[in-house]
Amino acid sequence: MNYWLVKSEPETYSWERFVREGTAVWDGVRNYQARNNLKKMKRGDLVLFYHSVQEPSVVGIAKVTREFYKDPTTKDSRWVAVQLEPVKPLNSPVSLSVIKSRKEFQNMALVQQSRLSVMPVTPLEFERIIACGGMTAAS
DNA sequence: GCCAACGTTGGC
DNA sequence: GCCAACGTTGGC
């Protein structure tokens, strides 16, 4: 299994709305690097859901329920979408400032490449992030 | 609100 | 193919 992180501005699409709706088509990505990451997602992969801009932080865990297909929001066949479902919120959000302050997270794309919106996360990083959020892999 | 980083566009 | 101009993202 692989692990990922996706960003969303809560004003545009929040974790709360994601939970309310129970599913999300992750479309509208118009960056090649982010798109390439979408294409690598497999059903069942776990995804950290990150709120950008206001109180930037990882707020929840999602999973991939449909692998990539043509982005329905454009005729341009270069772009793809995946489908995600919420798994559970973190007990406490893990803020970007905390992530930036810890040595073990310095290699994350979240820290190094602030504008990338879909990125891989290593299994260890995933485990440590959710641990910071008061969760364990088993829970 | 500002601005750094960075991706894209288009003129040459 | 280079690069200036411009637009967008997202941290602060």
Side-chain angles (χ1 to χ4, degrees), chain A residues 5-115:
Chain A
L5 181 149
V6 297
K7 291 180 177 176
S8 184
E9 270 196 62
E11 265 192 24
T12 308
Y13 190 85
S14 67
W15 169 262
E16 289 72 23
R17 182 172 161 200
F18 182 36
V19 169
R20 201 182 321 128
E21 296 180 354
T23 185
V25 175
W26 214 257
D27 56 23
V29 170
R30 297 291 182 272
N31 169 282
Y32 289 109
Q33 207 181 341
R35 182 213 52 189
N36 293 344
N37 291 327
L38 286 181
K39 284 187 163 184
K40 290 181 204 154
M41 289 185 179
K42 296 296 178 193
R43 183 187 292 265
D45 281 358
L46 293 178
V47 182
L48 297 171
F49 192 104
Y50 175 87
H51 275 167
S52 62
V53 185
Q54 299 119 318
E55 298 180 35
S57 47
V58 177
V59 293
I61 303 170
K63 70 177 175 194
V64 177
T65 54
R66 183 175 172 189
E67 293 174 15
F68 80 90
Y69 56 102
K70 190 191 156 314
D71 186 333
T73 65
T74 176
K75 284 185 208 157
D76 192 329
S77 60
R78 289 176 298 171
W79 306 115
V80 302
V82 298
Q83 208 159 323
L84 303 178
E85 266 180 28
V87 175
K88 55 179 56 177
L90 296 186
N91 288 332
S92 55
V94 180
S95 71
L96 181 63
S97 61
V98 164
I99 292 168
K100 283 190 159 175
S101 71
R102 307 239 172 145
K103 198 165 50 176
E104 63 266 33
F105 297 135
Q106 290 315 297
N107 290 329
M108 290 183 72
L110 188 66
V111 173
Q112 304 223 323
Q113 246 182 298
S114 67
R115 293 184 55 200

